[in-house]
Amino acid sequence: MARKIDDEIKETTETAETTAAPAKDPGMRLVDAFYPDMPGTDYHGDITVGLNGVMYKIKRGVAVKLPLAVKEIIDRSIAEDARVAEMIERIKEMGKNQPIANL
């Protein structure tokens, strides 16, 4: 099983440099996407996403075409990361004003 996934990741990596892996479902709409590569942050390196048993490896810093569902997964993940970062900052601010036992 791991071998099959590795092979699929390898296939999508080869195509992700210019376009994302082709959608297996002909009715799946492809959309343009670009995710910047930001060294020194969590947003550095390739993005790996699984959808319905198909693994996609998207190269950052390159414009690609992705199935809409894959783009939505990535966009929601990035938005959730931002929400978590905001929540952590709020908790840190609350902690400055309260003893640890009250947190």
Coordinates of all heavy atoms in Angstrom, one line a residue:
M1 N 0.8 -1.2 0.0 CA 0.0 0.0 0.0 C 0.9 1.3 0.0 O 0.6 2.2 -0.7 CB -0.9 0.0 1.2 CG -1.9 1.1 1.3 SD -3.0 1.0 -0.1 CE -4.1 2.4 0.2
A2 N 1.9 1.3 0.8 CA 2.8 2.5 0.9 C 3.5 2.7 -0.4 O 3.7 3.8 -0.9 CB 3.8 2.3 2.0
R3 N 3.8 1.6 -1.1 CA 4.4 1.7 -2.4 C 3.6 2.5 -3.4 O 4.0 3.3 -4.2 CB 4.8 0.3 -2.9 CG 5.5 0.3 -4.2 CD 6.9 0.8 -4.0 NE 7.7 0.5 -5.1 CZ 8.8 1.2 -5.4 NH1 9.1 2.2 -4.7 NH2 9.5 0.9 -6.5
K4 N 2.3 2.1 -3.5 CA 1.3 2.8 -4.4 C 1.2 4.3 -4.1 O 1.3 5.1 -5.0 CB 0.0 2.1 -4.3 CG -1.0 2.7 -5.2 CD -2.4 2.1 -5.1 CE -3.3 2.8 -6.1 NZ -4.7 2.5 -5.9
I5 N 1.1 4.6 -2.8 CA 1.0 6.1 -2.5 C 2.3 6.8 -2.9 O 2.3 7.9 -3.4 CB 0.8 6.2 -1.0 CG1 -0.7 5.7 -0.7 CG2 0.9 7.7 -0.5 CD1 -1.0 5.7 0.8
D6 N 3.5 6.2 -2.6 CA 4.8 6.8 -3.0 C 4.8 7.0 -4.5 O 5.3 8.0 -5.0 CB 5.9 5.9 -2.6 CG 6.1 5.9 -1.1 OD1 5.6 6.8 -0.4 OD2 6.8 5.0 -0.6
D7 N 4.3 6.0 -5.3 CA 4.3 6.1 -6.7 C 3.4 7.3 -7.2 O 3.7 8.1 -8.1 CB 3.9 4.8 -7.4 CG 4.9 3.7 -7.3 OD1 6.1 4.1 -6.9 OD2 4.6 2.6 -7.4
E8 N 2.2 7.4 -6.5 CA 1.3 8.5 -6.9 C 1.9 9.8 -6.5 O 1.8 10.8 -7.3 CB 0.0 8.3 -6.2 CG -0.9 7.1 -6.8 CD -2.2 7.0 -6.1 OE1 -2.6 7.8 -5.3 OE2 -2.8 6.0 -6.4
I9 N 2.5 9.9 -5.4 CA 3.2 11.2 -5.0 C 4.3 11.5 -6.0 O 4.4 12.7 -6.4 CB 3.7 11.1 -3.6 CG1 2.6 11.1 -2.6 CG2 4.7 12.3 -3.3 CD1 3.0 11.0 -1.1
K10 N 5.0 10.6 -6.4 CA 6.1 10.8 -7.4 C 5.5 11.3 -8.7 O 6.0 12.3 -9.3 CB 6.9 9.5 -7.6 CG 8.0 9.7 -8.6 CD 8.8 8.5 -8.8 CE 9.9 8.7 -9.9 NZ 10.5 7.5 -10.3
E11 N 4.4 10.7 -9.2 CA 3.8 11.1 -10.4 C 3.3 12.6 -10.3 O 3.5 13.4 -11.2 CB 2.6 10.2 -10.7 CG 2.9 8.9 -11.2 CD 1.7 8.0 -11.3 OE1 0.6 8.5 -11.5 OE2 1.9 6.8 -11.3
T12 N 2.6 12.9 -9.2 CA 2.1 14.3 -9.1 C 3.2 15.3 -8.9 O 3.1 16.4 -9.3 CB 1.1 14.4 -8.0 OG1 1.7 14.0 -6.7 CG2 -0.1 13.6 -8.2
T13 N 4.3 14.9 -8.3 CA 5.5 15.8 -8.1 C 6.0 16.2 -9.5 O 6.4 17.3 -9.7 CB 6.6 15.1 -7.3 OG1 6.0 14.8 -6.0 CG2 7.7 16.1 -7.1
E14 N 6.1 15.2 -10.4 CA 6.6 15.5 -11.7 C 5.8 16.5 -12.4 O 6.3 17.4 -13.2 CB 6.8 14.2 -12.5 CG 7.8 13.3 -11.9 CD 7.8 11.9 -12.5 OE1 6.9 11.6 -13.3 OE2 8.6 11.1 -12.1
T15 N 4.5 16.5 -12.3 CA 3.6 17.4 -13.0 C 3.3 18.7 -12.2 O 2.9 19.7 -12.8 CB 2.2 16.7 -13.3 OG1 1.6 16.3 -12.1 CG2 2.4 15.6 -14.2
A16 N 3.6 18.7 -10.9 CA 3.2 19.9 -10.1 C 4.1 21.1 -10.4 O 3.7 22.2 -10.0 CB 3.3 19.5 -8.6
E17 N 5.2 20.9 -11.0 CA 6.1 22.0 -11.3 C 5.4 23.0 -12.3 O 5.6 24.2 -12.2 CB 7.4 21.5 -11.8 CG 8.2 20.9 -10.7 CD 9.6 20.4 -11.1 OE1 10.1 20.9 -12.2 OE2 10.2 19.6 -10.4
T18 N 4.6 22.5 -13.2 CA 3.9 23.4 -14.1 C 2.4 23.3 -13.9 O 1.7 24.3 -14.0 CB 4.3 23.1 -15.5 OG1 4.0 21.7 -15.8 CG2 5.7 23.3 -15.8
T19 N 1.9 22.2 -13.7 CA 0.5 22.0 -13.4 C 0.3 20.9 -12.4 O 1.2 20.1 -12.3 CB -0.3 21.6 -14.7 OG1 0.1 20.3 -15.1 CG2 -0.2 22.6 -15.8
A20 N -0.8 20.9 -11.7 CA -1.0 19.9 -10.7 C -1.3 18.6 -11.4 O -1.6 18.6 -12.6 CB -2.1 20.3 -9.7
A21 N -1.4 17.5 -10.6 CA -1.7 16.2 -11.1 C -3.1 16.3 -11.8 O -4.0 17.0 -11.3 CB -1.8 15.2 -10.0
P22 N -3.2 15.7 -13.0 CA -4.5 15.7 -13.6 C -5.6 15.0 -12.8 O -5.3 14.1 -12.1 CB -4.2 14.9 -14.9 CG -3.0 14.1 -14.7 CD -2.2 14.8 -13.6
A23 N -6.8 15.6 -12.8 CA -7.9 15.1 -12.1 C -8.3 13.7 -12.7 O -8.4 13.6 -13.9 CB -9.0 16.0 -12.1
K24 N -8.5 12.8 -11.8 CA -8.9 11.5 -12.3 C -10.4 11.5 -12.8 O -10.8 10.7 -13.6 CB -8.7 10.4 -11.3 CG -7.3 10.2 -10.9 CD -6.9 8.9 -10.4 CE -5.4 8.9 -10.1 NZ -4.9 7.6 -10.3
D25 N -11.2 12.3 -12.2 CA -12.6 12.5 -12.5 C -12.7 13.5 -13.6 O -12.4 14.7 -13.4 CB -13.4 12.9 -11.3 CG -14.9 13.1 -11.6 OD1 -15.3 12.9 -12.7 OD2 -15.6 13.5 -10.6
P26 N -13.2 13.2 -14.8 CA -13.2 14.2 -15.9 C -14.1 15.4 -15.6 O -14.0 16.4 -16.1 CB -13.7 13.4 -17.1 CG -14.2 12.1 -16.6 CD -13.6 11.9 -15.2
G27 N -15.1 15.2 -14.7 CA -16.0 16.3 -14.3 C -15.4 17.2 -13.2 O -16.0 18.2 -12.9
M28 N -14.2 16.9 -12.7 CA -13.6 17.7 -11.7 C -13.0 19.0 -12.3 O -12.1 18.9 -13.2 CB -12.5 16.9 -10.9 CG -12.1 17.6 -9.7 SD -10.9 16.6 -8.7 CE -11.9 15.4 -8.0
R29 N -13.4 20.1 -11.9 CA -13.0 21.4 -12.5 C -11.6 21.8 -12.0 O -11.3 21.7 -10.8 CB -14.0 22.5 -12.1 CG -13.8 23.7 -12.8 CD -14.9 24.7 -12.5 NE -14.3 25.7 -11.6 CZ -14.9 26.4 -10.8 NH1 -16.2 26.3 -10.7 NH2 -14.3 27.3 -10.0
L30 N -10.7 22.2 -12.9 CA -9.4 22.6 -12.5 C -9.4 24.1 -12.4 O -10.0 24.8 -13.1 CB -8.3 22.2 -13.6 CG -8.1 20.7 -13.7 CD1 -7.1 20.5 -14.9 CD2 -7.6 20.1 -12.4
V31 N -8.7 24.6 -11.4 CA -8.6 26.1 -11.1 C -7.1 26.4 -11.0 O -6.3 25.6 -10.6 CB -9.4 26.5 -9.9 CG1 -10.8 26.3 -10.1 CG2 -8.9 25.8 -8.6
D32 N -6.8 27.7 -11.3 CA -5.4 28.2 -11.1 C -5.1 28.5 -9.6 O -6.0 28.9 -8.9 CB -5.2 29.5 -11.8 CG -5.3 29.3 -13.3 OD1 -4.8 28.3 -13.8 OD2 -5.8 30.2 -14.0
A33 N -3.9 28.2 -9.2 CA -3.5 28.4 -7.8 C -2.1 28.8 -7.7 O -1.3 28.4 -8.6 CB -3.8 27.2 -6.9
F34 N -1.7 29.5 -6.7 CA -0.3 29.9 -6.4 C -0.2 30.0 -4.9 O -0.9 30.7 -4.3 CB 0.0 31.2 -7.1 CG 1.4 31.6 -6.8 CD1 2.5 31.1 -7.6 CD2 1.7 32.5 -5.8 CE1 3.8 31.5 -7.3 CE2 3.0 32.9 -5.6 CZ 4.1 32.4 -6.3
Y35 N 0.8 29.2 -4.4 CA 1.1 29.3 -3.0 C 2.5 29.7 -2.8 O 3.4 29.0 -3.2 CB 0.8 27.9 -2.3 CG -0.7 27.6 -2.4 CD1 -1.1 26.7 -3.4 CD2 -1.6 28.2 -1.5 CE1 -2.5 26.4 -3.5 CE2 -2.9 27.9 -1.7 CZ -3.4 27.0 -2.6 OH -4.7 26.7 -2.7
P36 N 2.8 30.9 -2.3 CA 4.2 31.4 -2.2 C 5.0 30.5 -1.3 O 4.5 29.9 -0.3 CB 4.0 32.8 -1.6 CG 2.7 32.8 -1.0 CD 1.8 31.8 -1.7
D37 N 6.3 30.4 -1.6 CA 7.3 29.7 -0.8 C 7.9 30.8 0.1 O 8.5 31.7 -0.4 CB 8.3 29.1 -1.7 CG 9.2 28.2 -0.9 OD1 8.9 27.8 0.2 OD2 10.3 27.8 -1.5
M38 N 7.7 30.6 1.4 CA 8.2 31.6 2.4 C 9.2 30.9 3.3 O 8.8 30.4 4.4 CB 7.1 32.2 3.2 CG 6.1 33.0 2.3 SD 4.8 33.8 3.2 CE 3.6 32.5 3.3
P39 N 10.5 30.9 2.9 CA 11.5 30.2 3.8 C 11.5 30.8 5.2 O 11.3 32.0 5.4 CB 12.8 30.5 3.1 CG 12.4 30.7 1.7 CD 11.1 31.4 1.7
G40 N 11.7 29.9 6.2 CA 11.8 30.3 7.6 C 10.4 30.4 8.2 O 10.3 30.8 9.4
T41 N 9.4 30.0 7.5 CA 8.0 29.9 8.1 C 7.5 28.5 7.9 O 8.1 27.6 7.3 CB 7.1 30.9 7.4 OG1 6.8 30.5 6.1 CG2 7.7 32.3 7.4
D42 N 6.2 28.3 8.4 CA 5.5 27.1 8.1 C 5.1 26.9 6.7 O 4.7 25.8 6.3 CB 4.3 27.0 9.0 CG 4.7 26.8 10.5 OD1 5.8 26.3 10.8 OD2 3.8 27.0 11.4
Y43 N 5.2 28.0 5.9 CA 4.7 28.0 4.5 C 5.9 27.9 3.6 O 6.2 28.7 2.7 CB 3.9 29.2 4.2 CG 2.7 29.3 5.1 CD1 2.6 30.2 6.2 CD2 1.6 28.4 4.9 CE1 1.5 30.2 7.0 CE2 0.5 28.5 5.8 CZ 0.5 29.4 6.8 OH -0.6 29.4 7.7
H44 N 6.7 26.9 3.8 CA 7.9 26.6 3.0 C 7.9 25.1 2.6 O 7.6 24.3 3.4 CB 9.2 26.9 3.9 CG 10.5 26.6 3.2 ND1 10.8 27.3 2.0 CD2 11.4 25.7 3.4 CE1 12.0 26.8 1.6 NE2 12.4 25.9 2.4
G45 N 8.3 24.9 1.4 CA 8.3 23.5 0.9 C 7.0 23.1 0.2 O 6.1 23.9 0.2
D46 N 7.0 21.9 -0.3 CA 5.9 21.4 -1.0 C 4.7 21.2 -0.1 O 4.9 20.9 1.1 CB 6.2 20.1 -1.7 CG 7.3 20.3 -2.8 OD1 7.5 21.4 -3.2 OD2 7.9 19.3 -3.2
I47 N 3.5 21.2 -0.7 CA 2.3 20.9 0.0 C 1.8 19.5 -0.4 O 1.7 19.3 -1.7 CB 1.2 22.0 -0.3 CG1 1.7 23.4 0.1 CG2 -0.1 21.6 0.4 CD1 0.8 24.5 -0.5
T48 N 1.5 18.7 0.5 CA 0.9 17.3 0.1 C -0.5 17.3 0.6 O -0.7 17.5 1.8 CB 1.8 16.2 0.7 OG1 3.1 16.4 0.3 CG2 1.3 14.9 0.3
V49 N -1.4 16.9 -0.3 CA -2.8 16.9 0.0 C -3.4 15.6 -0.5 O -3.1 15.2 -1.6 CB -3.6 18.0 -0.6 CG1 -5.1 17.9 -0.3 CG2 -3.1 19.4 -0.1
G50 N -4.2 14.9 0.3 CA -4.9 13.7 -0.2 C -6.4 14.0 -0.4 O -7.0 14.6 0.5
L51 N -6.9 13.5 -1.5 CA -8.4 13.7 -1.7 C -8.9 12.4 -2.4 O -8.4 12.0 -3.5 CB -8.6 14.9 -2.7 CG -10.0 15.1 -3.1 CD1 -10.9 15.4 -1.9 CD2 -10.1 16.2 -4.2
N52 N -9.8 11.7 -1.7 CA -10.4 10.5 -2.3 C -9.4 9.5 -2.7 O -9.5 8.9 -3.8 CB -11.3 10.8 -3.4 CG -12.5 11.7 -3.0 OD1 -12.9 11.6 -1.8 ND2 -13.0 12.5 -3.9
G53 N -8.3 9.3 -1.9 CA -7.3 8.3 -2.2 C -6.3 8.7 -3.2 O -5.4 7.9 -3.5
V54 N -6.3 9.9 -3.7 CA -5.3 10.4 -4.6 C -4.5 11.5 -3.9 O -5.0 12.4 -3.3 CB -5.9 11.1 -5.9 CG1 -4.9 11.6 -6.8 CG2 -6.8 10.1 -6.6
M55 N -3.1 11.3 -3.9 CA -2.2 12.2 -3.3 C -1.7 13.3 -4.3 O -1.3 12.9 -5.4 CB -1.0 11.5 -2.6 CG -1.4 10.5 -1.6 SD -2.3 11.2 -0.2 CE -1.1 12.2 0.5
Y56 N -1.8 14.5 -3.9 CA -1.3 15.6 -4.7 C -0.1 16.3 -4.0 O -0.2 16.5 -2.8 CB -2.4 16.7 -4.9 CG -3.6 16.1 -5.7 CD1 -4.6 15.5 -5.0 CD2 -3.6 16.2 -7.1 CE1 -5.7 15.0 -5.7 CE2 -4.7 15.8 -7.8 CZ -5.8 15.1 -7.1 OH -6.8 14.7 -7.8
K57 N 0.9 16.5 -4.7 CA 2.1 17.2 -4.1 C 2.3 18.5 -4.9 O 2.6 18.5 -6.1 CB 3.4 16.4 -4.2 CG 4.5 16.9 -3.4 CD 5.6 15.9 -3.2 CE 6.6 16.4 -2.2 NZ 7.7 15.4 -2.0
I58 N 2.0 19.6 -4.3 CA 2.0 20.9 -5.0 C 3.3 21.7 -4.6 O 3.6 21.9 -3.4 CB 0.8 21.7 -4.6 CG1 -0.5 21.0 -5.1 CG2 0.8 23.1 -5.2 CD1 -1.2 20.2 -4.1
K59 N 4.0 22.1 -5.6 CA 5.2 22.9 -5.4 C 4.9 24.4 -5.1 O 4.1 25.0 -5.8 CB 6.1 22.8 -6.6 CG 7.5 23.4 -6.4 CD 8.4 23.0 -7.6 CE 9.8 23.4 -7.4 NZ 10.4 22.6 -6.3
R60 N 5.4 24.9 -4.0 CA 5.2 26.3 -3.7 C 6.0 27.2 -4.6 O 7.1 26.8 -5.0 CB 5.6 26.6 -2.2 CG 4.6 26.0 -1.2 CD 5.0 26.4 0.2 NE 4.1 25.9 1.2 CZ 3.0 26.5 1.5 NH1 2.7 27.7 1.0 NH2 2.2 26.0 2.5
G61 N 5.5 28.4 -4.8 CA 6.2 29.4 -5.7 C 6.1 29.1 -7.1 O 6.7 29.8 -8.0
V62 N 5.1 28.2 -7.5 CA 4.9 27.9 -8.9 C 3.4 28.0 -9.2 O 2.6 27.4 -8.4 CB 5.4 26.5 -9.3 CG1 5.1 26.2 -10.7 CG2 6.9 26.4 -9.0
A63 N 3.0 28.7 -10.2 CA 1.5 28.7 -10.6 C 1.2 27.3 -11.1 O 1.9 26.7 -11.9 CB 1.3 29.7 -11.6
V64 N 0.1 26.8 -10.5 CA -0.4 25.4 -10.9 C -1.9 25.4 -11.2 O -2.6 26.3 -10.8 CB 0.0 24.4 -9.8 CG1 1.4 24.2 -9.6 CG2 -0.7 24.7 -8.5
K65 N -2.3 24.4 -11.8 CA -3.8 24.1 -12.0 C -4.1 22.9 -11.0 O -3.4 21.9 -11.1 CB -4.1 23.8 -13.4 CG -4.1 25.0 -14.3 CD -4.8 24.7 -15.6 CE -4.8 25.9 -16.5 NZ -5.6 27.0 -16.0
L66 N -5.1 23.1 -10.2 CA -5.5 22.1 -9.2 C -7.0 21.8 -9.4 O -7.8 22.7 -9.7 CB -5.3 22.6 -7.8 CG -3.9 23.0 -7.3 CD1 -4.0 23.7 -6.0 CD2 -3.1 21.8 -7.2
P67 N -7.4 20.6 -9.0 CA -8.8 20.4 -8.8 C -9.3 21.3 -7.8 O -8.7 21.6 -6.8 CB -8.9 18.9 -8.4 CG -7.7 18.3 -8.9 CD -6.6 19.4 -8.8
L68 N -10.5 21.9 -8.0 CA -11.1 22.9 -7.1 C -11.1 22.3 -5.6 O -10.8 23.1 -4.7 CB -12.5 23.3 -7.5 CG -13.2 24.2 -6.6 CD1 -12.5 25.5 -6.5 CD2 -14.7 24.5 -7.2
A69 N -11.5 21.1 -5.5 CA -11.6 20.5 -4.1 C -10.2 20.5 -3.4 O -10.1 20.8 -2.2 CB -12.1 19.1 -4.2
V70 N -9.1 20.3 -4.1 CA -7.8 20.3 -3.6 C -7.4 21.7 -3.1 O -6.9 21.9 -2.0 CB -6.7 19.7 -4.5 CG1 -5.3 19.9 -4.0 CG2 -7.0 18.2 -4.8
K71 N -7.7 22.7 -4.0 CA -7.5 24.1 -3.6 C -8.2 24.5 -2.4 O -7.7 25.1 -1.5 CB -7.8 25.0 -4.8 CG -7.5 26.5 -4.5 CD -7.8 27.3 -5.7 CE -7.4 28.8 -5.5 NZ -7.5 29.4 -4.2
E72 N -9.5 24.0 -2.3 CA -10.3 24.4 -1.1 C -9.7 23.8 0.2 O -9.7 24.4 1.2 CB -11.7 23.9 -1.3 CG -12.5 24.7 -2.3 CD -13.9 24.2 -2.6 OE1 -14.2 23.1 -2.2 OE2 -14.7 25.0 -3.2
I73 N -9.2 22.5 0.1 CA -8.6 21.9 1.3 C -7.4 22.7 1.7 O -7.2 23.0 2.9 CB -8.1 20.5 0.9 CG1 -9.3 19.6 0.7 CG2 -7.2 19.9 2.0 CD1 -9.0 18.2 0.2
I74 N -6.5 23.1 0.8 CA -5.3 23.9 1.1 C -5.7 25.3 1.7 O -5.2 25.7 2.7 CB -4.4 24.1 -0.1 CG1 -3.9 22.7 -0.5 CG2 -3.3 25.0 0.2 CD1 -3.2 22.7 -1.9
D75 N -6.7 26.0 1.0 CA -7.1 27.3 1.5 C -7.7 27.2 2.9 O -7.4 28.1 3.7 CB -8.1 27.9 0.5 CG -7.4 28.3 -0.8 OD1 -6.2 28.3 -0.9 OD2 -8.1 28.5 -1.8
R76 N -8.5 26.2 3.2 CA -9.1 26.1 4.5 C -8.1 25.8 5.5 O -8.1 26.2 6.7 CB -10.2 25.0 4.5 CG -11.4 25.4 3.7 CD -12.4 24.3 3.6 NE -13.6 24.7 2.8 CZ -14.5 23.9 2.4 NH1 -14.4 22.6 2.6 NH2 -15.5 24.4 1.7
S77 N -7.1 25.0 5.2 CA -6.0 24.7 6.1 C -5.2 25.9 6.5 O -4.9 26.2 7.7 CB -5.1 23.6 5.5 OG -4.0 23.4 6.4
I78 N -4.9 26.8 5.5 CA -4.2 28.0 5.7 C -5.0 28.9 6.6 O -4.5 29.5 7.6 CB -3.8 28.7 4.4 CG1 -2.7 27.8 3.7 CG2 -3.3 30.1 4.6 CD1 -2.5 28.3 2.2
A79 N -6.3 29.0 6.3 CA -7.2 29.9 7.1 C -7.3 29.4 8.6 O -7.2 30.2 9.5 CB -8.6 29.9 6.5
E80 N -7.3 28.1 8.8 CA -7.4 27.5 10.1 C -6.1 27.8 10.9 O -6.1 28.1 12.1 CB -7.7 26.0 10.1 CG -8.0 25.4 11.4 CD -9.3 26.0 12.0 OE1 -10.2 26.5 11.3 OE2 -9.3 26.0 13.3
D81 N -4.9 27.7 10.2 CA -3.6 28.0 10.8 C -3.6 29.4 11.3 O -3.2 29.7 12.4 CB -2.5 27.8 9.8 CG -2.1 26.4 9.5 OD1 -2.6 25.5 10.3 OD2 -1.3 26.2 8.6
A82 N -4.2 30.3 10.5 CA -4.3 31.8 10.9 C -5.2 31.9 12.2 O -4.8 32.7 13.1 CB -4.8 32.6 9.8
R83 N -6.3 31.2 12.2 CA -7.2 31.3 13.3 C -6.5 30.7 14.6 O -6.7 31.3 15.7 CB -8.5 30.5 13.1 CG -9.4 31.2 12.1 CD -10.7 30.4 12.0 NE -11.1 30.0 13.3 CZ -12.2 29.3 13.6 NH1 -13.0 29.0 12.6 NH2 -12.6 29.0 14.8
V84 N -5.8 29.7 14.5 CA -5.1 29.1 15.6 C -4.1 30.0 16.1 O -3.9 30.2 17.4 CB -4.5 27.7 15.3 CG1 -3.6 27.2 16.4 CG2 -5.6 26.7 15.1
A85 N -3.3 30.7 15.2 CA -2.3 31.6 15.6 C -2.9 32.8 16.4 O -2.3 33.2 17.4 CB -1.5 32.1 14.4
E86 N -4.0 33.3 15.9 CA -4.7 34.4 16.6 C -5.2 33.9 18.0 O -5.1 34.7 19.0 CB -5.9 34.9 15.8 CG -5.6 35.6 14.6 CD -6.8 35.9 13.7 OE1 -7.9 35.7 14.2 OE2 -6.6 36.3 12.6
M87 N -5.7 32.7 18.1 CA -6.2 32.2 19.4 C -5.0 32.0 20.4 O -5.2 32.4 21.5 CB -6.9 30.9 19.2 CG -7.5 30.3 20.4 SD -8.6 28.9 20.2 CE -7.6 27.8 19.2
I88 N -3.9 31.6 19.9 CA -2.7 31.4 20.8 C -2.3 32.8 21.3 O -2.0 32.9 22.5 CB -1.6 30.7 20.0 CG1 -1.9 29.2 19.8 CG2 -0.3 30.9 20.7 CD1 -1.0 28.5 18.9
E89 N -2.3 33.8 20.4 CA -1.9 35.1 20.9 C -2.9 35.7 21.9 O -2.5 36.3 22.9 CB -1.9 36.1 19.7 CG -0.6 35.9 18.8 CD 0.7 36.0 19.6 OE1 0.8 37.0 20.3 OE2 1.5 35.1 19.4
R90 N -4.2 35.4 21.7 CA -5.2 35.9 22.7 C -5.0 35.2 24.1 O -5.1 35.8 25.1 CB -6.6 35.6 22.2 CG -7.1 36.6 21.2 CD -8.6 36.6 21.0 NE -9.1 35.2 20.8 CZ -9.4 34.7 19.6 NH1 -9.2 35.3 18.5 NH2 -9.9 33.5 19.5
I91 N -4.7 33.9 24.0 CA -4.4 33.1 25.2 C -3.2 33.7 25.9 O -3.2 33.8 27.2 CB -4.3 31.6 25.0 CG1 -5.7 31.1 24.6 CG2 -3.8 30.9 26.1 CD1 -5.7 29.7 24.0
K92 N -2.2 34.0 25.2 CA -0.9 34.5 25.8 C -1.2 35.9 26.4 O -0.7 36.1 27.5 CB 0.1 34.7 24.7 CG 0.8 33.5 24.3 CD 1.9 33.8 23.2 CE 2.5 32.5 22.7 NZ 3.5 32.8 21.7
E93 N -2.0 36.7 25.8 CA -2.4 38.0 26.4 C -3.2 37.8 27.6 O -3.0 38.5 28.6 CB -3.2 38.8 25.4 CG -2.3 39.4 24.2 CD -1.2 40.3 24.7 OE1 -1.5 41.2 25.6 OE2 -0.1 40.1 24.3
M94 N -4.1 36.9 27.7 CA -4.9 36.6 28.9 C -4.0 36.1 30.0 O -4.2 36.5 31.1 CB -6.0 35.5 28.6 CG -7.1 36.0 27.7 SD -8.4 34.8 27.3 CE -8.1 33.4 28.3
G95 N -3.0 35.3 29.6 CA -2.1 34.8 30.6 C -1.3 35.8 31.3 O -0.8 35.6 32.4
K96 N -1.0 36.9 30.6 CA -0.2 38.0 31.2 C -1.0 38.6 32.4 O -0.4 39.2 33.3 CB 0.1 39.0 30.2 CG 1.1 38.6 29.1 CD 1.4 39.7 28.1 CE 2.4 39.2 27.1 NZ 2.6 40.2 26.0
N97 N -2.3 38.6 32.3 CA -3.1 39.3 33.3 C -3.6 38.4 34.4 O -4.2 38.8 35.4 CB -4.3 40.0 32.7 CG -3.8 41.0 31.6 OD1 -2.8 41.7 31.9 ND2 -4.5 41.2 30.5
Q98 N -3.5 37.1 34.2 CA -4.0 36.1 35.2 C -3.0 35.2 35.7 O -2.1 34.8 34.9 CB -5.2 35.3 34.5 CG -6.3 36.2 34.1 CD -7.4 35.3 33.4 OE1 -7.4 34.1 33.6 NE2 -8.3 36.0 32.7
P99 N -3.1 34.7 36.9 CA -2.2 33.6 37.4 C -2.5 32.4 36.6 O -3.5 32.1 36.0 CB -2.6 33.4 38.8 CG -3.5 34.6 39.2 CD -4.0 35.1 37.9
I100 N -1.4 31.5 36.5 CA -1.5 30.3 35.7 C -2.7 29.4 36.1 O -3.4 28.8 35.3 CB -0.2 29.5 35.7 CG1 0.9 30.4 35.0 CG2 -0.3 28.2 35.1 CD1 2.3 29.8 35.1
A101 N -3.0 29.4 37.4 CA -4.0 28.5 37.9 C -5.4 28.9 37.4 O -6.3 28.1 37.3 CB -4.1 28.6 39.5
N102 N -5.6 30.2 37.0 CA -6.9 30.6 36.4 C -7.0 30.4 35.0 O -8.1 30.6 34.4 CB -7.1 32.1 36.7 CG -7.2 32.4 38.2 OD1 -7.6 31.4 39.0 ND2 -7.0 33.6 38.6
L103 N -6.0 30.0 34.3 CA -6.1 29.8 32.8 C -6.6 28.4 32.7 O -7.3 27.9 32.0 CB -4.7 29.9 32.1 CG -4.1 31.2 32.1 CD1 -2.7 31.2 31.5 CD2 -5.0 32.2 31.4

